[in-house]
mmCIF file of all heavy atoms in Angstrom:
data_model
loop_
_atom_site.group_PDB
_atom_site.id
_atom_site.type_symbol
_atom_site.label_atom_id
_atom_site.label_comp_id
_atom_site.label_asym_id
_atom_site.label_seq_id
_atom_site.Cartn_x
_atom_site.Cartn_y
_atom_site.Cartn_z
ATOM 1 N N GLY P 46 -8.642 -22.141 16.591
ATOM 2 C CA GLY P 46 -9.860 -21.728 17.259
ATOM 3 C C GLY P 46 -10.023 -20.230 17.407
ATOM 4 O O GLY P 46 -10.940 -19.767 18.101
ATOM 5 N N GLY P 47 -9.180 -19.458 16.770
ATOM 6 C CA GLY P 47 -9.264 -18.006 16.869
ATOM 7 C C GLY P 47 -10.205 -17.412 15.828
ATOM 8 O O GLY P 47 -10.637 -18.093 14.892
ATOM 9 N N ASP P 48 -10.525 -16.166 16.040
ATOM 10 C CA ASP P 48 -11.355 -15.414 15.081
ATOM 11 C C ASP P 48 -10.488 -14.317 14.473
ATOM 12 O O ASP P 48 -10.162 -13.341 15.141
ATOM 13 C CB ASP P 48 -12.564 -14.800 15.776
ATOM 14 C CG ASP P 48 -13.495 -14.086 14.802
ATOM 15 O OD1 ASP P 48 -13.135 -13.968 13.613
ATOM 16 O OD2 ASP P 48 -14.572 -13.629 15.231
ATOM 17 N N PRO P 49 -10.097 -14.465 13.203
ATOM 18 C CA PRO P 49 -9.198 -13.476 12.586
ATOM 19 C C PRO P 49 -9.835 -12.119 12.348
ATOM 20 O O PRO P 49 -9.141 -11.173 11.992
ATOM 21 C CB PRO P 49 -8.811 -14.134 11.261
ATOM 22 C CG PRO P 49 -9.212 -15.561 11.399
ATOM 23 C CD PRO P 49 -10.373 -15.577 12.315
ATOM 24 N N GLY P 50 -11.159 -12.008 12.473
ATOM 25 C CA GLY P 50 -11.797 -10.711 12.285
ATOM 26 C C GLY P 50 -12.964 -10.765 11.329
ATOM 27 O O GLY P 50 -13.204 -11.781 10.654
ATOM 28 N N PRO P 51 -13.711 -9.666 11.229
ATOM 29 C CA PRO P 51 -14.938 -9.640 10.421
ATOM 30 C C PRO P 51 -14.709 -9.780 8.926
ATOM 31 O O PRO P 51 -15.639 -10.116 8.197
ATOM 32 C CB PRO P 51 -15.552 -8.282 10.754
ATOM 33 C CG PRO P 51 -14.404 -7.444 11.225
ATOM 34 C CD PRO P 51 -13.486 -8.384 11.923
ATOM 35 N N LEU P 52 -13.490 -9.522 8.456
ATOM 36 C CA LEU P 52 -13.191 -9.667 7.023
ATOM 37 C C LEU P 52 -12.158 -10.776 6.804
ATOM 38 O O LEU P 52 -11.328 -10.703 5.896
ATOM 39 C CB LEU P 52 -12.675 -8.347 6.450
ATOM 40 C CG LEU P 52 -13.646 -7.164 6.484
ATOM 41 C CD1 LEU P 52 -12.999 -5.920 5.880
ATOM 42 C CD2 LEU P 52 -14.946 -7.491 5.754
ATOM 43 N N ALA P 53 -12.230 -11.808 7.618
ATOM 44 C CA ALA P 53 -11.238 -12.884 7.581
ATOM 45 C C ALA P 53 -11.065 -13.463 6.185
ATOM 46 O O ALA P 53 -12.008 -13.977 5.588
ATOM 47 C CB ALA P 53 -11.653 -13.996 8.546
ATOM 48 N N GLY P 54 -9.854 -13.347 5.667
ATOM 49 C CA GLY P 54 -9.520 -13.945 4.384
ATOM 50 C C GLY P 54 -10.062 -13.239 3.168
ATOM 51 O O GLY P 54 -9.913 -13.742 2.042
ATOM 52 N N VAL P 55 -10.676 -12.081 3.343
ATOM 53 C CA VAL P 55 -11.273 -11.380 2.204
ATOM 54 C C VAL P 55 -10.198 -10.625 1.429
ATOM 55 O O VAL P 55 -9.524 -9.748 1.981
ATOM 56 C CB VAL P 55 -12.362 -10.394 2.671
ATOM 57 C CG1 VAL P 55 -12.910 -9.614 1.479
ATOM 58 C CG2 VAL P 55 -13.482 -11.132 3.392
ATOM 59 N N PRO P 56 -10.005 -10.923 0.145
ATOM 60 C CA PRO P 56 -9.032 -10.175 -0.661
ATOM 61 C C PRO P 56 -9.520 -8.736 -0.885
ATOM 62 O O PRO P 56 -10.697 -8.507 -1.177
ATOM 63 C CB PRO P 56 -8.992 -10.948 -1.984
ATOM 64 C CG PRO P 56 -9.624 -12.272 -1.684
ATOM 65 C CD PRO P 56 -10.631 -12.008 -0.617
ATOM 66 N N ILE P 57 -8.618 -7.791 -0.764
ATOM 67 C CA ILE P 57 -8.966 -6.390 -0.945
ATOM 68 C C ILE P 57 -7.876 -5.688 -1.729
ATOM 69 O O ILE P 57 -6.693 -6.037 -1.619
ATOM 70 C CB ILE P 57 -9.196 -5.701 0.424
ATOM 71 C CG1 ILE P 57 -9.741 -4.281 0.232
ATOM 72 C CG2 ILE P 57 -7.929 -5.685 1.268
ATOM 73 C CD1 ILE P 57 -10.252 -3.641 1.508
ATOM 74 N N ALA P 58 -8.278 -4.720 -2.541
ATOM 75 C CA ALA P 58 -7.336 -3.912 -3.321
ATOM 76 C C ALA P 58 -7.273 -2.519 -2.729
ATOM 77 O O ALA P 58 -8.272 -1.994 -2.237
ATOM 78 C CB ALA P 58 -7.779 -3.850 -4.783
ATOM 79 N N LEU P 59 -6.100 -1.914 -2.772
ATOM 80 C CA LEU P 59 -5.885 -0.586 -2.205
ATOM 81 C C LEU P 59 -5.490 0.401 -3.293
ATOM 82 O O LEU P 59 -4.601 0.116 -4.107
ATOM 83 C CB LEU P 59 -4.767 -0.618 -1.155
ATOM 84 C CG LEU P 59 -4.910 -1.593 0.010
ATOM 85 C CD1 LEU P 59 -3.672 -1.513 0.898
ATOM 86 C CD2 LEU P 59 -6.168 -1.301 0.810
ATOM 87 N N LYS P 60 -6.128 1.543 -3.310
ATOM 88 C CA LYS P 60 -5.703 2.608 -4.207
ATOM 89 C C LYS P 60 -4.251 2.949 -3.923
ATOM 90 O O LYS P 60 -3.827 3.001 -2.754
ATOM 91 C CB LYS P 60 -6.611 3.836 -4.007
ATOM 92 C CG LYS P 60 -6.372 4.949 -5.014
ATOM 93 C CD LYS P 60 -7.388 6.064 -4.812
ATOM 94 C CE LYS P 60 -7.205 7.215 -5.800
ATOM 95 N NZ LYS P 60 -8.233 8.262 -5.639
ATOM 96 N N ASP P 61 -3.510 3.240 -4.965
ATOM 97 C CA ASP P 61 -2.060 3.364 -4.814
ATOM 98 C C ASP P 61 -1.608 4.719 -4.261
ATOM 99 O O ASP P 61 -0.482 5.144 -4.500
ATOM 100 C CB ASP P 61 -1.356 3.070 -6.141
ATOM 101 C CG ASP P 61 0.081 2.589 -5.925
ATOM 102 O OD1 ASP P 61 0.359 2.054 -4.837
ATOM 103 O OD2 ASP P 61 0.905 2.737 -6.840
ATOM 104 N N ASN P 62 -2.470 5.378 -3.500
ATOM 105 C CA ASN P 62 -2.033 6.533 -2.715
ATOM 106 C C ASN P 62 -2.161 6.267 -1.221
ATOM 107 O O ASN P 62 -2.078 7.182 -0.410
ATOM 108 C CB ASN P 62 -2.820 7.795 -3.089
ATOM 109 C CG ASN P 62 -4.319 7.647 -2.877
ATOM 110 O OD1 ASN P 62 -4.818 6.569 -2.581
ATOM 111 N ND2 ASN P 62 -5.039 8.739 -3.062
ATOM 112 N N LEU P 63 -2.359 4.978 -0.859
ATOM 113 C CA LEU P 63 -2.394 4.555 0.541
ATOM 114 C C LEU P 63 -1.064 3.894 0.868
ATOM 115 O O LEU P 63 -0.686 2.895 0.245
ATOM 116 C CB LEU P 63 -3.552 3.586 0.779
ATOM 117 C CG LEU P 63 -4.951 4.169 0.567
ATOM 118 C CD1 LEU P 63 -5.996 3.062 0.589
ATOM 119 C CD2 LEU P 63 -5.246 5.212 1.629
ATOM 120 N N CYS P 64 -0.364 4.440 1.836
ATOM 121 C CA CYS P 64 0.971 3.936 2.160
ATOM 122 C C CYS P 64 0.913 2.505 2.680
ATOM 123 O O CYS P 64 0.095 2.167 3.534
ATOM 124 C CB CYS P 64 1.624 4.829 3.209
ATOM 125 S SG CYS P 64 2.117 6.446 2.580
ATOM 126 N N THR P 65 1.798 1.676 2.145
ATOM 127 C CA THR P 65 1.933 0.286 2.553
ATOM 128 C C THR P 65 3.411 0.011 2.789
ATOM 129 O O THR P 65 4.232 0.178 1.875
ATOM 130 C CB THR P 65 1.384 -0.659 1.475
ATOM 131 O OG1 THR P 65 1.806 -0.195 0.173
ATOM 132 C CG2 THR P 65 -0.119 -0.712 1.498
ATOM 133 N N ARG P 66 3.730 -0.378 3.999
ATOM 134 C CA ARG P 66 5.138 -0.540 4.377
ATOM 135 C C ARG P 66 5.841 -1.562 3.483
ATOM 136 O O ARG P 66 5.402 -2.701 3.345
ATOM 137 C CB ARG P 66 5.238 -0.980 5.838
ATOM 138 C CG ARG P 66 6.660 -1.088 6.334
ATOM 139 C CD ARG P 66 6.715 -1.504 7.794
ATOM 140 N NE ARG P 66 8.097 -1.579 8.249
ATOM 141 C CZ ARG P 66 8.461 -1.989 9.457
ATOM 142 N NH1 ARG P 66 7.530 -2.353 10.333
ATOM 143 N NH2 ARG P 66 9.728 -2.025 9.784
ATOM 144 N N GLY P 67 6.919 -1.108 2.851
ATOM 145 C CA GLY P 67 7.735 -1.985 2.029
ATOM 146 C C GLY P 67 7.168 -2.304 0.659
ATOM 147 O O GLY P 67 7.811 -3.003 -0.124
ATOM 148 N N VAL P 68 5.958 -1.807 0.373
ATOM 149 C CA VAL P 68 5.326 -2.050 -0.935
ATOM 150 C C VAL P 68 5.252 -0.715 -1.668
ATOM 151 O O VAL P 68 4.774 0.278 -1.114
ATOM 152 C CB VAL P 68 3.909 -2.632 -0.779
ATOM 153 C CG1 VAL P 68 3.254 -2.838 -2.142
ATOM 154 C CG2 VAL P 68 3.945 -3.926 0.016
ATOM 155 N N ARG P 69 5.699 -0.680 -2.895
ATOM 156 C CA ARG P 69 5.777 0.601 -3.586
ATOM 157 C C ARG P 69 4.405 1.266 -3.660
ATOM 158 O O ARG P 69 3.374 0.610 -3.844
ATOM 159 C CB ARG P 69 6.393 0.463 -4.972
ATOM 160 C CG ARG P 69 5.533 -0.167 -6.031
ATOM 161 C CD ARG P 69 6.186 -0.001 -7.393
ATOM 162 N NE ARG P 69 5.307 -0.487 -8.450
ATOM 163 C CZ ARG P 69 5.387 -0.092 -9.715
ATOM 164 N NH1 ARG P 69 6.291 0.800 -10.069
ATOM 165 N NH2 ARG P 69 4.572 -0.566 -10.631
ATOM 166 N N THR P 70 4.438 2.556 -3.488
ATOM 167 C CA THR P 70 3.225 3.381 -3.479
ATOM 168 C C THR P 70 3.488 4.544 -4.420
ATOM 169 O O THR P 70 4.223 5.473 -4.088
ATOM 170 C CB THR P 70 2.917 3.874 -2.052
ATOM 171 O OG1 THR P 70 2.733 2.733 -1.202
ATOM 172 C CG2 THR P 70 1.691 4.744 -2.024
ATOM 173 N N THR P 71 2.889 4.506 -5.612
ATOM 174 C CA THR P 71 3.293 5.410 -6.682
ATOM 175 C C THR P 71 2.416 6.641 -6.844
ATOM 176 O O THR P 71 2.827 7.615 -7.465
ATOM 177 C CB THR P 71 3.290 4.675 -8.035
ATOM 178 O OG1 THR P 71 1.926 4.412 -8.428
ATOM 179 C CG2 THR P 71 4.054 3.366 -7.966
ATOM 180 N N CYS P 72 1.178 6.592 -6.358
ATOM 181 C CA CYS P 72 0.194 7.659 -6.632
ATOM 182 C C CYS P 72 0.006 7.883 -8.128
ATOM 183 O O CYS P 72 -0.390 8.965 -8.562
ATOM 184 C CB CYS P 72 0.605 8.976 -5.962
ATOM 185 S SG CYS P 72 0.562 8.910 -4.181
ATOM 186 N N GLY P 73 0.294 6.865 -8.920
ATOM 187 C CA GLY P 73 0.143 6.982 -10.362
ATOM 188 C C GLY P 73 1.122 7.937 -11.004
ATOM 189 O O GLY P 73 0.889 8.421 -12.115
ATOM 190 N N SER P 74 2.274 8.195 -10.332
ATOM 191 C CA SER P 74 3.209 9.224 -10.786
ATOM 192 C C SER P 74 4.622 8.680 -10.942
ATOM 193 O O SER P 74 5.083 7.859 -10.140
ATOM 194 C CB SER P 74 3.224 10.377 -9.778
ATOM 195 O OG SER P 74 4.134 11.382 -10.174
ATOM 196 N N ARG P 75 5.313 9.167 -11.944
ATOM 197 C CA ARG P 75 6.717 8.794 -12.132
ATOM 198 C C ARG P 75 7.574 9.281 -10.973
ATOM 199 O O ARG P 75 8.601 8.676 -10.657
ATOM 200 C CB ARG P 75 7.252 9.395 -13.438
ATOM 201 C CG ARG P 75 6.665 8.786 -14.686
ATOM 202 C CD ARG P 75 7.110 7.364 -14.897
ATOM 203 N NE ARG P 75 6.552 6.782 -16.123
ATOM 204 C CZ ARG P 75 6.478 5.485 -16.369
ATOM 205 N NH1 ARG P 75 6.919 4.620 -15.457
ATOM 206 N NH2 ARG P 75 5.967 5.043 -17.497
ATOM 207 N N ILE P 76 7.153 10.345 -10.324
ATOM 208 C CA ILE P 76 7.982 10.925 -9.271
ATOM 209 C C ILE P 76 8.064 10.000 -8.052
ATOM 210 O O ILE P 76 8.987 10.096 -7.246
ATOM 211 C CB ILE P 76 7.479 12.335 -8.886
ATOM 212 C CG1 ILE P 76 8.654 13.202 -8.414
ATOM 213 C CG2 ILE P 76 6.368 12.293 -7.857
ATOM 214 C CD1 ILE P 76 8.368 14.683 -8.420
ATOM 215 N N LEU P 77 7.084 9.079 -7.924
ATOM 216 C CA LEU P 77 7.092 8.108 -6.826
ATOM 217 C C LEU P 77 7.138 6.669 -7.344
ATOM 218 O O LEU P 77 6.784 5.737 -6.615
ATOM 219 C CB LEU P 77 5.853 8.300 -5.942
ATOM 220 C CG LEU P 77 5.811 9.557 -5.071
ATOM 221 C CD1 LEU P 77 4.503 9.631 -4.303
ATOM 222 C CD2 LEU P 77 6.992 9.595 -4.109
ATOM 223 N N GLU P 78 7.603 6.485 -8.558
ATOM 224 C CA GLU P 78 7.555 5.170 -9.188
ATOM 225 C C GLU P 78 8.256 4.093 -8.367
ATOM 226 O O GLU P 78 7.817 2.939 -8.348
ATOM 227 C CB GLU P 78 8.183 5.240 -10.588
ATOM 228 C CG GLU P 78 8.123 3.936 -11.349
ATOM 229 C CD GLU P 78 8.633 4.071 -12.776
ATOM 230 O OE1 GLU P 78 9.105 5.170 -13.148
ATOM 231 O OE2 GLU P 78 8.547 3.074 -13.525
ATOM 232 N N HIS P 79 9.322 4.444 -7.675
ATOM 233 C CA HIS P 79 10.104 3.453 -6.938
ATOM 234 C C HIS P 79 10.082 3.700 -5.435
ATOM 235 O O HIS P 79 10.971 3.230 -4.720
ATOM 236 C CB HIS P 79 11.550 3.451 -7.453
ATOM 237 C CG HIS P 79 11.659 3.179 -8.916
ATOM 238 N ND1 HIS P 79 11.311 1.969 -9.488
ATOM 239 C CD2 HIS P 79 12.053 3.977 -9.951
ATOM 240 C CE1 HIS P 79 11.491 2.030 -10.798
ATOM 241 N NE2 HIS P 79 11.940 3.233 -11.112
ATOM 242 N N TRP P 80 9.068 4.426 -4.953
ATOM 243 C CA TRP P 80 9.020 4.748 -3.521
ATOM 244 C C TRP P 80 8.356 3.623 -2.740
ATOM 245 O O TRP P 80 7.267 3.172 -3.088
ATOM 246 C CB TRP P 80 8.253 6.055 -3.298
ATOM 247 C CG TRP P 80 8.264 6.484 -1.856
ATOM 248 C CD1 TRP P 80 9.356 6.693 -1.072
ATOM 249 C CD2 TRP P 80 7.113 6.752 -1.045
ATOM 250 N NE1 TRP P 80 8.956 7.088 0.184
ATOM 251 C CE2 TRP P 80 7.603 7.126 0.232
ATOM 252 C CE3 TRP P 80 5.740 6.717 -1.268
ATOM 253 C CZ2 TRP P 80 6.759 7.467 1.286
ATOM 254 C CZ3 TRP P 80 4.892 7.052 -0.228
ATOM 255 C CH2 TRP P 80 5.392 7.426 1.031
ATOM 256 N N HIS P 81 9.016 3.186 -1.664
ATOM 257 C CA HIS P 81 8.490 2.159 -0.773
ATOM 258 C C HIS P 81 8.336 2.785 0.611
ATOM 259 O O HIS P 81 9.337 3.015 1.295
ATOM 260 C CB HIS P 81 9.428 0.944 -0.717
ATOM 261 C CG HIS P 81 9.510 0.196 -2.007
ATOM 262 N ND1 HIS P 81 10.106 0.724 -3.144
ATOM 263 C CD2 HIS P 81 9.063 -1.040 -2.351
ATOM 264 C CE1 HIS P 81 10.020 -0.171 -4.125
ATOM 265 N NE2 HIS P 81 9.400 -1.240 -3.669
ATOM 266 N N PRO P 82 7.129 3.064 1.037
ATOM 267 C CA PRO P 82 6.932 3.742 2.329
ATOM 268 C C PRO P 82 7.477 2.920 3.499
ATOM 269 O O PRO P 82 7.438 1.677 3.479
ATOM 270 C CB PRO P 82 5.406 3.875 2.436
ATOM 271 C CG PRO P 82 4.904 3.743 1.042
ATOM 272 C CD PRO P 82 5.853 2.823 0.348
ATOM 273 N N PRO P 83 7.939 3.601 4.552
ATOM 274 C CA PRO P 83 8.426 2.896 5.740
ATOM 275 C C PRO P 83 7.335 2.614 6.770
ATOM 276 O O PRO P 83 7.634 2.164 7.871
ATOM 277 C CB PRO P 83 9.458 3.879 6.302
ATOM 278 C CG PRO P 83 8.920 5.222 5.931
ATOM 279 C CD PRO P 83 8.245 5.040 4.585
ATOM 280 N N TYR P 84 6.083 2.883 6.428
ATOM 281 C CA TYR P 84 4.991 2.687 7.378
ATOM 282 C C TYR P 84 3.699 2.397 6.624
ATOM 283 O O TYR P 84 3.600 2.624 5.422
ATOM 284 C CB TYR P 84 4.813 3.920 8.264
ATOM 285 C CG TYR P 84 4.299 5.142 7.534
ATOM 286 C CD1 TYR P 84 2.963 5.513 7.639
ATOM 287 C CD2 TYR P 84 5.130 5.914 6.729
ATOM 288 C CE1 TYR P 84 2.473 6.627 6.965
ATOM 289 C CE2 TYR P 84 4.655 7.020 6.057
ATOM 290 C CZ TYR P 84 3.329 7.378 6.177
ATOM 291 O OH TYR P 84 2.843 8.478 5.503
ATOM 292 N N ASP P 85 2.715 1.902 7.375
ATOM 293 C CA ASP P 85 1.394 1.630 6.822
ATOM 294 C C ASP P 85 0.435 2.764 7.149
ATOM 295 O O ASP P 85 0.486 3.346 8.246
ATOM 296 C CB ASP P 85 0.803 0.343 7.418
ATOM 297 C CG ASP P 85 1.386 -0.913 6.805
ATOM 298 O OD1 ASP P 85 1.669 -0.909 5.594
ATOM 299 O OD2 ASP P 85 1.548 -1.906 7.541
ATOM 300 N N ALA P 86 -0.472 3.063 6.234
ATOM 301 C CA ALA P 86 -1.593 3.951 6.544
ATOM 302 C C ALA P 86 -2.438 3.308 7.637
ATOM 303 O O ALA P 86 -2.502 2.089 7.772
ATOM 304 C CB ALA P 86 -2.438 4.184 5.297
#
């Protein structure tokens, strides 16, 4: 009976320069190819 929010269940893609905790964030660069941020934007 809850309301998950205005975008409930909507799939979204994130540009790879937005930090995502535990998910690699490369900025399209080899220098960050294996970087996994410790926090979310």
Side-chain angles (χ1 to χ4, degrees):
D48 184 354
L52 297 180
V55 177
I57 187 168
L59 304 177
K60 187 175 180 177
D61 205 25
N62 59 352
L63 296 170
C64 289
T65 42
R66 184 179 181 184
V68 178
R69 74 170 186 157
T70 300
T71 71
C72 293
S74 179
R75 291 291 181 199
I76 210 162
L77 289 178
E78 183 175 4
H79 303 294
W80 184 56
H81 293 68
Y84 68 102
D85 282 324

